[in-house]
Amino acid sequence: MPFTSLPSTIPRAPLGLAAEPTSLVPCHRARGRIPFPARRRGIRAAASTVESLPAKTAPARPLYLGLDFGTSGARAAVIDDDGRLVQDVKCGYGEGADADWPAAWKRVLFELIGSLDPDIRSEVVSLAFDGTSGTALLVDPRDGAPLAPPKLYNEAQEGRAVEAAKAIAPAAHTATAPSSTLCKLLSWWLEEESNEDCEEVHNLAAFKGGSGGEGGGGCRGGGSSGWRRTAASRGLTTLGPTVNDSDRSNRSSNQGGSAAGSGCKGGEGTDPRVLATTGRGPYPLLLHQADWLAGLLYGMCDPYGNAGVSDWNNALKLGYDPASESYPGWLATQPFSPLLPPRVVSPGAPVAPLAPSAAARCGLRPDCLVCGGTTDSIAAFLAAGVTQAGQAVTSLGSTLAVKLLSTTRVDDAAYGVYSHRLGDVWLVGGASNSGGAVLRRFFTDQQLRDLTPALNPDRPTGLDYYPLPGPGERFPVADTGLQPRMSPRPKDDAVFLQGLLEGIAQIESDAYHRLAQLGASPLKEVLTAGGGAANPKWSLIRQRLLGVPLRAAEYGEACYGTALLARQGARKAASESLPRGQ
Ligand SMILES: Nc1ncnc2c1ncn2[C@@H]1O[C@H](COP(=O)(O)OP(=O)(O)O)[C@@H](O)[C@H]1O
Ligand SMILES: O=C(CO)[C@H](O)[C@H](O)COP(=O)(O)O
């Protein structure tokens, strides 16, 4: 499907957001805020090109909220109808968050929204989320309660799950990458469990392309898997690793991207899958981080009775096909298909209105619309306002993610390359495990700022590092065993830092060369988002390697891009006079 330009529905470059990287601390306003309507002065001028709003000019109502749940913290932006920033707030996840990520994300969600000015919050008519891509949760579809710890975006799964994914998906499909959401779902699915935890024991052979009886999952003696026991204790229908054909036909998988109801109490649609299992509870549900956070706000049930809504971008690594806007047959016919999100929408599409309890808790309007989300690197791409084929955005955050606007779609899991759909264009790229998280192993943000003046981009160190936070790389080399290369360490920290920055810059350059080798549109310009965009010396190092113009995205914050999606969704709902949330 060749695409030649951004459709009109993709938001144009915003009118102003000075992205100032600041360290993440408990929720606080990320910059001088513009109380609305208390203070009439305009937004703060961005680095160079944006005129401040004339004094006494109130932001154009209504307002829209974007919420970014990144690797190291979360950030929210409220924009007005002209795309001007009204307020943005940041929140760290706090010490010990990794002991219970869903609890941390949920806490920060309500803290973030609660830290917005009430007079601004009350004017927000729609919101959307972006999260780290491939971060997966297995939950109770009725209330979103996690059934097991989430599997994070960069967690490569073990061989058995990867083998199973490769057995069912097309060759080189991004869903076969070890850190894909499909591999995470298969890891849960193939977990062994004791017979008493299985409500149904079935012949493994029916598992299409699975690893068969030996070594496969299934009900047998031995340790029970946490998620199935938790699901059973909550009255959910826990599927075995396979269902036989007759059983599966009774469950009539509704995975067409817009399923009839599934799992919701009192949803309009009835879910034949639930009825087919003699009236027991619904199936567990797989959601991505952004889907789950949105579900907490609309009550996990959309107006169609779907328990669980995802979007084209988050669902890509699960195997969803954004070109056909559906789950492909090889996925929809699998025995675990009842666990897939029953509805997948385009980024920014209207999903559902807030649940009354969430509206009351957040101080948001009861008719505030939750819209389809995206991933953090695509949100940063949207914020940058890129519109032409050949333009690219490098997100230099905790990880290095590249997105090239291409007229041709490119997917090759052998190199960790995949294409996201946005409107009617393709964002070709991938995400390396390298990036700022490696720098933070050695330097604080302040130390980075202090050392940067001593860097000398014109005198390469020759250290030839491959900086990684640990073994394993996703892109442009897809190798779960790739070892970090960051020695010898010079005595001079500035030289060591320059070696690390050169190493990450080389990965970025190799990434874009890989995309060109695979047939993506030729690279013309690179915009940079994320914390690393603030380092001018690093930009010079990168520029030398990339060989195309490089500049910091004027509006690099992912939450801004996601706020643009919320604006798009509200306008779509209004233009189609859809009942809120359809
Ligand atoms: N001056 C700097 N030079 C290079 N890297 C920086 C600088 N300041 C911050 N960073 C890096 O930016 C990263 C944080 O960027 P951010 O976009 O907030 O990440 P994320 O959203 O992925 O958590 C940190 O890992 C940090 O090492
Ligand atoms: O590294 C990541 C987390 O920050 C994600 O993997 C990154 O978002 C890239 O994934 P995608 O290209 O699907 O957005």
Side-chain angles (χ1 to χ4, degrees):
M1 176 189 288
F3 301 107
T4 53
S5 65
L6 282 173
S8 58
T9 53
I10 292 288
R12 296 295 168 209
L15 294 167
L17 174 66
E20 295 158 1
T22 51
S23 61
L24 287 165
V25 290
C27 284
H28 76 296
R29 294 186 178 90
R31 61 170 53 72
R33 66 183 175 80
I34 308 167
F36 167 79
R39 196 176 342 154
R40 293 283 185 258
R41 81 176 167 77
I43 51 171
R44 299 181 52 161
S48 57
T49 60
V50 175
E51 294 299 315
S52 294
L53 282 178
K56 299 191 187 332
T57 304
R61 292 184 180 86
L63 304 183
Y64 312 96
L65 171 60
L67 298 122
D68 163 43
F69 277 70
T71 310
S72 51
R75 184 165 180 166
V78 176
I79 65 173
D80 74 0
D81 206 39
D82 294 333
R84 295 177 177 81
L85 180 76
V86 177
Q87 185 176 27
D88 66 347
V89 290
K90 283 187 159 190
C91 218
Y93 294 134
E95 287 300 311
D98 55 348
D100 186 346
W101 277 119
W105 296 330
K106 187 172 182 178
R107 171 178 53 76
V108 166
L109 166 61
F110 291 106
E111 282 179 7
L112 264 184
I113 297 176
S115 60
L116 294 171
D117 287 347
D119 52 358
I120 291 174
R121 236 184 3 241
S122 62
E123 298 276 354
V124 167
V125 298
S126 63
L127 60 87
F129 287 86
D130 72 81
T132 50
S133 176
T135 292
L137 300 96
L138 204 54
V139 303
D140 182 329
R142 297 167 296 194
D143 60 4
L147 304 175
K151 294 181 186 286
L152 301 185
Y153 65 96
N154 59 351
E155 290 179 14
Q157 301 308 295
E158 296 195 351
R160 195 171 54 164
V162 179
E163 280 166 36
K166 288 180 177 173
I168 62 176
H173 193 288
T174 192
T176 64
S179 59
S180 76
T181 319
L182 178 61
C183 285
K184 289 160 186 167
L185 174 53
L186 284 164
S187 287
W188 276 313
W189 180 255
L190 293 172
E191 279 185 8
E192 300 208 336
E193 58 194 72
S194 57
N195 282 337
E196 58 267 21
D197 286 319
C198 266
E199 293 191 17
E200 292 123 347
V201 179
H202 298 281
N203 169 7
L204 276 177
F207 174 51
K208 286 201 170 80
S211 38
E214 70 296 334
C219 303
R220 58 185 58 182
S224 161
S225 74
W227 76 268
R228 282 197 175 91
R229 185 182 301 114
T230 305
S233 71
R234 294 177 65 90
L236 297 176
T237 299
T238 52
L239 285 168
T242 64
V243 283
N244 57 41
D245 287 337
S246 61
D247 218 2
R248 178 162 48 247
S249 61
N250 289 341
R251 294 193 176 133
S252 68
S253 91
N254 296 306
Q255 305 309 328
S258 57
S262 61
C264 291
K265 288 179 299 209
E268 284 170 26
T270 53
D271 178 356
R273 298 175 301 165
V274 176
L275 296 181
T277 53
T278 61
R280 276 172 283 185
Y283 295 108
L285 173 67
L286 176 112
L287 288 176
H288 306 87
Q289 179 191 28
D291 312 336
W292 180 74
L293 288 160
L296 294 179
L297 292 188
Y298 66 79
M300 302 300 293
C301 193
D302 77 354
Y304 303 99
N306 290 305
V309 179
S310 190
D311 63 81
W312 292 352
N313 301 144
N314 275 291
L316 181 78
K317 296 173 181 175
L318 183 53
Y320 182 80
D321 180 9
S324 64
E325 300 179 20
S326 66
Y327 288 117
W330 59 264
L331 182 60
T333 55
Q334 292 300 325
F336 54 78
S337 65
L339 278 61
L340 301 174
R343 184 180 168 209
V344 182
V345 300
S346 62
V351 169
L354 283 186
S357 57
R361 180 171 178 182
C362 297
L364 291 167
R365 299 162 48 132
D367 66 350
C368 180
L369 179 64
V370 180
C371 301
T374 185
T375 66
D376 54 358
S377 69
I378 292 179
F381 177 94
L382 270 173
V386 164
T387 58
Q388 300 304 316
Q391 285 187 302
V393 176
T394 295
S395 290
L396 265 186
S398 298
T399 59
L400 164 69
V402 306
K403 291 275 169 294
L404 169 67
L405 200 156
S406 174
T407 55
T408 51
R409 177 178 186 174
V410 176
D411 297 286
D412 192 334
Y415 301 107
V417 174
Y418 45 83
S419 293
H420 277 293
R421 182 180 165 191
L422 199 62
D424 65 5
V425 294
W426 293 107
L427 306 184
V428 179
S432 161
N433 285 335
S434 188
V438 186
L439 302 177
R440 267 202 178 137
R441 293 278 173 102
F442 303 102
F443 304 107
T444 64
D445 289 5
Q446 187 55 52
Q447 288 169 330
L448 292 171
R449 284 190 284 272
D450 294 344
L451 285 167
T452 292
L455 305 184
N456 191 338
D458 296 331
R459 284 179 49 202
T461 65
L463 288 169
D464 189 30
Y465 289 158
Y466 198 105
L468 287 171
E473 174 59 309
R474 294 180 287 171
F475 164 74
V477 174
D479 179 353
T480 56
L482 186 68
Q483 293 299 319
R485 192 172 70 237
M486 299 183 284
S487 61
R489 175 171 179 170
K491 290 188 173 52
D492 181 338
D493 273 352
V495 176
F496 178 51
L497 172 60
Q498 183 166 328
L500 293 173
L501 299 181
E502 288 169 350
I504 299 170
Q506 187 61 57
I507 294 169
E508 179 192 24
S509 175
D510 293 348
Y512 284 113
H513 280 106
R514 177 75 71 203
L515 301 187
Q517 285 166 0
L518 294 174
S521 296
L523 182 65
K524 292 177 183 167
E525 179 186 28
V526 175
L527 286 77
T528 313
N535 190 315
K537 294 287 185 73
W538 197 0
S539 297
L540 291 173
I541 293 169
R542 295 168 53 222
Q543 175 97 50
R544 174 166 49 82
L545 291 171
L546 286 169
V548 296
L550 176 80
R551 60 186 166 94
E554 292 163 4
Y555 323 100
E557 290 303 332
C559 56
Y560 186 88
T562 307
L564 292 173
L565 289 179
R567 181 178 69 172
Q568 186 180 305
R571 288 176 174 176
K572 180 175 172 66
S575 67
E576 295 174 0
S577 62
L578 287 175
R580 306 290 291 178
Q582 289 196 34

